[in-house]
Each structure stands twice: as structure tokens, then as C-alpha cells.
Amino acid sequence: MSQQDPESKAAAEGRHRLRTETLEQILEVTQKLSAPYDLSHMLEEVIEAARNVLHADRGTVYMYDDETDELLLTVATGMDPIRFPASRGIAGQCAKTREIINVPDCYADPRFDPSFDKKTGYRTRCMLTLPLVGYDQSLIGVLQLLNKDHGVFDDNDERVAMALAAQCAVALHRVRLTQELMNRERVNQEISVAREIQMSALPKKMPPVEGYDGAGKFRPADETGGDLFDFVRIEDGRLFLLMGDATGHGIGPALSATQVRAMMRVGLRLGASLDEIYAHTNNQLVDDLPDDRFVTAFVGLLNPRSHDVRFHAGGQGPLLHFRAGSGDCDWYGATTFPMGALQQSNLKTAQRIELDPGDVLALISDGVYEYENPAGEQFGEQRVGDIVREEHDRPMTELIETLLRKVREFGGEAIQGDDITVVVIRRLPQ
């Protein structure tokens, strides 16, 4: 077997260190942007974070006004707020195409408007312009970074900037949506607003994956809850699966759940492996969460070519694998400690579940298994297994609705005591 030459090995180690350091840096930014800020303060935080991560001299945020189709230059060093059409200049082209624009020599690019430099006496050498797109795919604005400390922005800067821009856009979207809602609602309805924001951030449906059907559903016990789930289609065709439960329910756990989802999406955008995503997110939560708080989570990757799911289950279980060929239900427990409980330096190898035609993988929070009826009896694994067995050949959205209906009927007049989340994936019959 050939051995890697020293120079190649050193280069690979350098790239790994860069990716690790950048991932940790952006995770810290994501955690910071999850704090409650007003729009003006949030814009300042976004620019400062972008400058630090990309080593840029200056930064600018143009907020998009969809009513007037204009860009509003809200924050820029030495400049007053300015409005201009969203079709103008490099920022306008970025807003229109929603694609990153990297200009290594601004004065050689005809799209560049030097009037801003003339007004301020600043000399713009190079520029990186990125679209800020919210979680509902709406345009939030445009982020521009000027003059990298050394040289020009390269391909790696573009990749890191896109990951950072995605998190900044979600943070700005959350702040703007919150402010708009609060303008229409009374202060005592803040909890209802938080619920709407949380629910709107969850995926409406699973991205299409050839040969598979899937769905997810979240039903909090209070106005907001600590459960979470996510589907993310990766460029190579694999599907990222997340289902978790932050301790407790209400505003605090809801913020923890939002933080976990955001950090993991950052890792995916940076091309981190499943193990790296889990370990870095876990270690960040150890630093961020109080000692009595943690998050149980299933973090996995579905490969539609090899028809298997590789996963880590941090304190999350039971996991149900229904085998269509035999009609049996296999149950799996947690594979490691809950996230945020302790630092992970030597993470165990990810577990693997192979899905045959017709098989169903069901990720269900303990709010279902532990749902009690007025007599104090829990719903339990047996009832869940029976429902999946009976409904496995129906669309997964219908299976979830049937399961939730059966749980409600079982509970009778009893109050839902915990958040409920259900994620089901089925490999379609050949």
C-alpha cells in the first residue's frame, strides 16, 4: 500500500486544522447570534463576525425591502444609510442571482461603483459579496466584505463565507420576523410569537430522495418546546437526519434546540464528516449549557445508494427499525452520552442500519413512549411497534398522523406532559 509523501500529509493536516478551527469559530458565532438582539445590534454583530472569520478590513450589510424592491445600506463604516434599486451594481446582481460574487480587482470590474470610495477616501481592492437568504428561502439582504488582510478572497474563503452567511441570514430573519410580529401583537403574546418562529424554522417536508419516503412532525407540550428535527439534502445525494430533545420544555430548551440545529447545519455546509459534526457540536454545548442541561439527539446520514443509515444516538432511544420482510421490529438504544453532558475526544464509530425494501426507520421522542393515560399507564414501545407494523405501507405523513391520533385517543383527558417529535423514513419497495 502506497504511503502519503510528507508534503501531502502536511498539507492534509493543515487543511484539517483549518477546517476544525473555522468550524469552531463559526459555531461560536452561531451561538452568539442566537442571543436576543434588536436589528441594529444584530447587524453590527453579523458584520463583526464576518470580518473576523474572513479576515476582512470592512463589511457592509444591505437589507432587502421587498415592498420597494430596494437595498438599504444600513451599516457601513463612514457612510450614512442609503437606498438604491435592488438591480444596481454588484450588490444588486448578487441579490438578483442569489449567487456569491468574488471580485479580486474592483477597479477592473465595470460593475463596481467607485463613488463610495470617492466620498470616504477609502480604497476598495477586492470584494466578496454574498446573498443572505432566510430559512423560508426569502431574500433578507446582501453581505459585502472588503479588502482581505493579505491578498484576495479565495475558494476556501467563499466556502466558509457561504456557511457563515447562511447562519447570519437566519439570525437576521429571526430578528426581523420577531420585530414584525411584535409590532402586531401585545407584549404578553411573546410566547406565541416564539412558537411561530420556532415552528416556521422546522422543515415543512423531507427533501426528495429517490427510492425513499419520509416525514417529520413536532408537537410541543407548551407554546414552545425543546424537541427538534431536521432534514438536509447533501450535494452527494445523502440525506442528513436529526431528531433531538433538549431537557425540559418551554423557551429555554427551545433556544437549545435551535442552537443545535444551526450548529449542525454549519458543519454540513463546511463539508465536515458525521463524526466531526457530532463531536464539535457536543463539545460546544458542554461549554454553553448549564451543568443540569443536555440534549439527547439522533444524528445520522441516509445513503440512498448503499441503502443504509450511519448514525450517532447521544442518549436518544429507543430507535425502531421495522423489517418489512419478516414483520419484526428491531429496537436500538443510545450509542453514546447525551450531547452537552461531557467532552467527546474519542467518539465511538458510528453505528449502521441497513434498510431493505419496505423497511421503516422510526425516530420517536419519549413524549410518545411515556405518554400516560388517566390511569398512569404509558403508551409504550409495544403500541408504537404495532402501529408501525400496521401502517408501514402507507405514506409516512399518514403513518405519523395515525400514530399521533392513537396517542391522543390513548391519553383521553390526560394533558400532554412532554414534547412529541416523530421522524419516519421508509425505503420504498422495489
Side-chain angles (χ1 to χ4, degrees):
M1 181 174 64
S2 62
Q3 294 184 347
Q4 195 175 26
D5 65 85
E7 291 184 1
S8 298
K9 183 177 180 181
E13 292 175 349
R15 288 192 298 270
H16 176 74
R17 286 195 299 270
L18 176 62
R19 183 172 64 186
T20 299
E21 292 171 0
T22 303
L23 177 58
E24 292 174 345
Q25 197 171 12
I26 296 182
L27 288 179
E28 293 177 0
V29 171
T30 302
Q31 189 273 336
K32 188 174 183 179
L33 293 182
S34 66
Y37 292 131
D38 59 32
L39 183 59
S40 177
H41 191 180
M42 177 63 74
L43 289 168
E44 294 175 1
E45 292 292 340
V46 165
I47 290 177
E48 187 65 18
R51 289 182 57 249
N52 291 337
V53 174
L54 276 300
H55 306 288
D57 181 50
R58 293 192 179 185
T60 305
V61 169
Y62 301 86
M63 295 297 290
Y64 178 65
D65 187 342
D66 58 355
E67 294 183 0
T68 63
D69 194 27
E70 293 179 317
L71 289 174
L72 172 63
L73 197 161
T74 309
V75 178
T77 306
M79 297 295 297
D80 295 326
I82 298 174
R83 282 183 176 270
F84 58 94
S87 58
R88 173 183 164 188
I90 296 175
Q93 182 178 351
C94 178
K96 181 179 179 180
T97 62
R98 299 194 182 189
E99 294 180 354
I100 188 171
I101 300 177
N102 189 347
V103 180
D105 185 354
C106 290
Y107 279 83
D109 193 309
R111 298 169 297 179
F112 176 68
D113 182 359
S115 61
F116 294 143
D117 281 6
K118 293 179 181 179
K119 291 180 181 179
T120 62
Y122 185 77
R123 176 75 178 184
T124 304
R125 293 185 294 100
C126 59
M127 177 187 298
L128 192 63
T129 308
L130 306 105
L132 299 175
V133 181
Y135 42 67
D136 62 355
Q137 300 305 305
S138 63
L139 181 65
I140 305 302
V142 172
L143 170 65
Q144 276 191 342
L145 298 170
L146 310 179
N147 295 357
K148 186 176 179 180
D149 289 347
H150 302 287
V152 298
F153 299 103
D154 55 25
D155 293 343
N156 184 67
D157 292 326
E158 292 182 17
R159 186 163 62 91
V160 172
M162 286 301 294
L164 177 62
Q167 302 311 307
C168 292
V170 170
L172 289 172
H173 194 176
R174 185 188 74 241
V175 171
R176 191 168 75 174
L177 179 59
T178 300
Q179 289 186 344
E180 290 174 356
L181 291 173
M182 292 299 294
N183 288 336
R184 299 194 301 263
E185 302 289 339
R186 298 176 53 147
V187 175
N188 61 3
Q189 294 175 321
E190 289 180 352
I191 301 300
S192 297
V193 173
R195 173 189 171 89
E196 184 172 347
I197 294 173
Q198 182 184 24
M199 299 302 290
S200 67
L202 295 175
K204 303 298 186 295
K205 60 182 180 180
M206 188 185 89
V209 177
E210 185 176 358
Y212 284 84
D213 177 30
K217 187 86 171 185
F218 169 51
R219 193 172 73 188
D222 292 334
E223 290 292 331
T224 59
D227 279 13
L228 69 150
F229 74 92
D230 203 4
F231 300 114
V232 181
R233 177 75 179 272
I234 305 176
E235 291 182 357
D236 62 9
R238 292 180 297 169
L239 182 69
F240 176 75
L241 301 171
L242 170 64
M243 195 280 283
D245 181 3
T247 50
H249 42 85
I251 291 293
L255 291 175
S256 297
T258 301
Q259 179 184 354
V260 169
R261 181 173 179 266
M263 288 192 293
M264 290 192 172
R265 285 200 165 212
V266 168
L268 289 174
R269 287 181 176 272
L270 290 174
S273 69
L274 182 68
D275 295 347
E276 288 174 326
I277 290 173
Y278 187 92
H280 282 293
T281 303
N282 171 81
N283 294 343
Q284 186 68 48
L285 290 175
V286 172
D287 295 335
D288 294 343
L289 296 180
D291 293 338
D292 61 343
R293 295 288 180 176
F294 56 84
V295 179
T296 63
F298 173 98
V299 183
L301 283 172
L302 166 65
N303 190 327
R305 293 185 297 275
S306 58
H307 300 294
D308 63 358
V309 177
R310 294 181 61 254
F311 68 93
H312 294 289
Q316 185 64 52
L319 314 173
L320 169 59
H321 176 198
F322 171 74
R323 298 182 178 274
S326 63
D328 295 331
C329 289
D330 292 343
W331 299 90
Y332 299 85
T335 63
T336 186
F337 298 102
M339 303 186 75
L342 52 85
Q343 293 283 336
Q344 292 274 12
S345 56
N346 294 307
L347 187 64
K348 293 182 180 179
T349 303
Q351 299 296 302
R352 177 178 177 272
I353 293 178
E354 184 174 348
L355 297 176
D356 293 326
D359 283 9
V360 175
L361 176 63
L363 314 174
I364 302 173
S365 67
D366 54 12
V368 170
Y369 295 110
E370 298 176 2
Y371 204 111
E372 293 186 353
N373 62 16
E377 180 185 7
Q378 293 187 349
F379 194 74
E381 296 178 14
Q382 182 64 48
R383 291 184 177 86
V384 171
D386 290 342
I387 293 171
V388 173
R389 186 180 294 107
E390 294 169 1
E391 304 290 328
H392 74 276
D393 57 350
R394 301 182 65 81
M396 292 297 95
T397 53
E398 295 183 12
L399 187 153
I400 290 179
E401 293 303 324
T402 298
L403 175 62
L404 296 180
R405 176 171 53 81
K406 294 284 188 179
V407 169
R408 288 194 298 269
E409 292 173 354
F410 171 83
E413 298 298 323
I415 298 175
Q416 179 182 336
D418 199 0
D419 300 328
I420 288 177
T421 300
V422 182
V423 174
V424 287
I425 301 290
R426 181 192 183 214
R427 180 182 174 187
L428 301 174
Q430 294 177 341

